[in-house]
Amino acid sequence: MAHGESRKAAVRRLGRGLPLYRVLDVTRPKGWAHLDEDVRLTVRYGALAPAHGWLTGAHGPGWRGLWERAADRVRETPTEAQLALALCDPDGRIRHAALAYAAGRPEVLPLVVVRAADWVQPVRARALALLREALPTASHETLAVTAPVILRLARRLRGGAAAELLDGLLRGGDGARVKALLFGCRDGVTRRAALAVALDRGLYDGLGLALVAADDHDPVVQERAASAAVAAGAPDATVPVLLGSRFGRVRAAGVTALRGAGRHAEAEPYLYDRSGRTRACARWVVRQGGGDPVTLYRAACAGAEVPARAPLGLGECGSRAVDAALLRELTRHREGRVRASAVAGLRLLDAVEPARMEALLGDPEPAVVREARRALWPWRV
């Protein structure tokens, strides 16, 4: 199904009365903005009957009086789907009236955020008033869904006011809210903002920052948290956590911290890391400690048990005149990962022999075939 068709289907499901969590991925901030746009267009062009009869009654002379009395809740309480549709309606009067029913309804709070950037001033003012009341008492789960929408819409012409509310809440409120966003929100932009506040407020020590860096998927969060963890000056606590991360840039920060701690020798195992960045940092630390990474790579490649990425590391810092012969020999190694690493090392040394690479296109190890194809690329016509 095309992306546009899936968005239309979401509006149709909402029109059938399905709750919001079954209509869209509530953790994706752009989904809420898309829903607002799609409902407005669908109702405007008659593809969806207005689902806000609970609010307007019959469209006739009594409509304006009902709208003026909406804040007194003279009508029945709307369902989640009805309220969502009314909050996205193309008629500003309906959006304004629907906001009176949004208080105490955390499931539609992200749509209140959308209305806080509305082009109609009374709608915008009422939505901001609701946010001032709702955000300080919102649960961690609700805030994790709502904060990403606030930050996304902050780029809109009228979206800055809600962003200021959120910033004030995070900087002046309970630090647990900041930590909950940092660990419990799927949106990377929100976690970046939460980390910035946490650093400004000093909410984490070095170990806490290392744990943030080691676990987060966002590269910006990883970089900033790892750098702050290293700067905290507690290597005994932070370095093991950083080195144990599954993310290369975090391990690289941990390896770099070994130099500041005077533990240069501990960087040697990371000469063979799967991350090129980590390998480069390990070579630097080894050199700072007086060692020679090239000598270590050559010894590893000539040993009985060759680390899988030792040939690649030798290709990154070795010499074609000296090391190409050893790497060619390793293209016949029994281990497929070592063979692939040797092919990659030869390519980096600019020591590729096309005939040898063509023979490796039949290798049983897929990684070897991939590297051979990559090495042969300059010879393709």
Side-chain angles (χ1 to χ4, degrees):
M1 181 184 292
H3 180 62
E5 287 298 318
S6 65
R7 287 173 56 174
K8 292 178 182 177
V11 176
R12 289 195 294 269
R13 288 195 296 270
L14 191 62
R16 293 198 303 268
L18 294 179
L20 285 163
Y21 76 90
R22 294 185 59 186
V23 170
L24 75 161
D25 183 351
V26 297
T27 64
R28 298 177 68 242
K30 67 179 181 180
W32 294 96
H34 286 164
L35 182 68
D36 175 53
E37 176 185 351
D38 296 340
V39 169
R40 184 169 65 253
L41 293 176
T42 304
V43 173
R44 179 174 291 157
Y45 292 108
L48 178 70
H52 43 68
W54 57 274
L55 180 61
T56 64
H59 291 280
W63 151 242
R64 182 167 298 278
L66 288 170
W67 167 62
E68 291 171 349
R69 298 195 305 273
D72 296 328
R73 297 177 177 269
V74 297
R75 306 291 291 179
E76 67 271 16
T77 300
T79 66
E80 181 178 326
Q82 287 175 328
L83 183 53
L85 286 170
L87 286 170
C88 301
D89 195 89
D91 190 324
R93 297 172 299 177
I94 292 173
R95 297 195 302 275
H96 184 274
L99 285 167
Y101 295 79
R105 302 287 294 270
E107 68 273 16
V108 298
L109 194 59
L111 288 177
V112 175
V113 173
V114 177
R115 296 283 64 86
D118 202 281
W119 56 95
V120 178
Q121 195 279 332
V123 175
R124 195 164 63 248
R126 176 172 277 187
L128 285 170
L130 280 175
L131 288 178
R132 289 189 188 95
E133 296 178 1
L135 287 178
T137 58
S139 67
H140 293 330
E141 294 76 14
T142 298
L143 195 61
V145 172
T146 306
V149 184
I150 293 175
L151 293 174
R152 182 179 181 85
L153 296 184
R155 292 173 286 180
R156 288 190 177 182
L157 177 62
R158 305 171 184 89
E164 290 178 5
L165 288 177
L166 176 64
D167 188 67
L169 175 67
L170 296 181
R171 293 186 180 278
D174 187 355
R177 287 186 170 277
V178 182
K179 295 180 178 180
L181 281 182
L182 196 50
F183 282 100
C185 183
R186 288 178 55 184
D187 180 61
V189 173
T190 304
R191 296 198 306 278
R192 294 176 192 178
L195 176 61
V197 173
L199 292 175
D200 289 344
R201 295 183 60 178
L203 296 179
Y204 289 101
D205 59 8
L207 176 59
L209 290 167
L211 290 170
V212 170
D215 291 337
D216 202 283
H217 291 268
D218 185 81
V220 176
V221 174
Q222 292 170 11
E223 292 272 9
R224 293 198 65 187
S227 297
V230 172
D236 290 341
T238 59
V239 169
V241 176
L242 297 174
L243 292 177
S245 173
R246 63 188 183 276
F247 302 110
R249 60 174 45 85
V250 179
R251 294 196 302 278
V255 170
T256 303
L258 291 172
R259 189 256 184 186
R263 294 155 53 179
H264 303 83
E266 294 179 37
E268 182 177 340
Y270 296 92
L271 292 171
Y272 319 112
D273 195 88
R274 62 184 180 273
S275 162
R277 182 172 181 171
T278 303
R279 292 193 301 272
C281 289
R283 290 193 289 268
W284 177 77
V285 173
V286 168
R287 291 190 188 100
Q288 294 296 305
D292 182 11
V294 178
T295 300
L296 293 172
Y297 277 129
R298 287 170 180 164
C301 288
E305 296 294 331
V306 181
R309 293 173 183 82
L312 175 57
L314 183 57
E316 289 170 334
C317 65
S319 164
R320 178 172 60 180
V322 177
D323 301 311
L326 177 56
L327 293 181
R328 291 189 185 106
E329 183 66 26
L330 290 175
T331 61
R332 294 190 288 268
H333 195 275
R334 65 183 182 278
E335 292 290 337
R337 290 189 301 169
V338 174
R339 296 197 300 275
S341 179
V343 173
L346 286 169
R347 176 177 54 79
L348 292 174
L349 288 177
D350 195 19
V352 171
E353 295 177 344
R356 185 184 297 268
M357 295 300 108
E358 288 175 358
L360 289 173
L361 293 176
D363 195 280
E365 177 65 41
V368 176
V369 177
R370 287 194 300 270
E371 290 295 344
R373 286 176 176 168
R374 191 176 180 187
L376 284 169
W377 185 261
W379 280 269
R380 292 191 176 187
V381 294

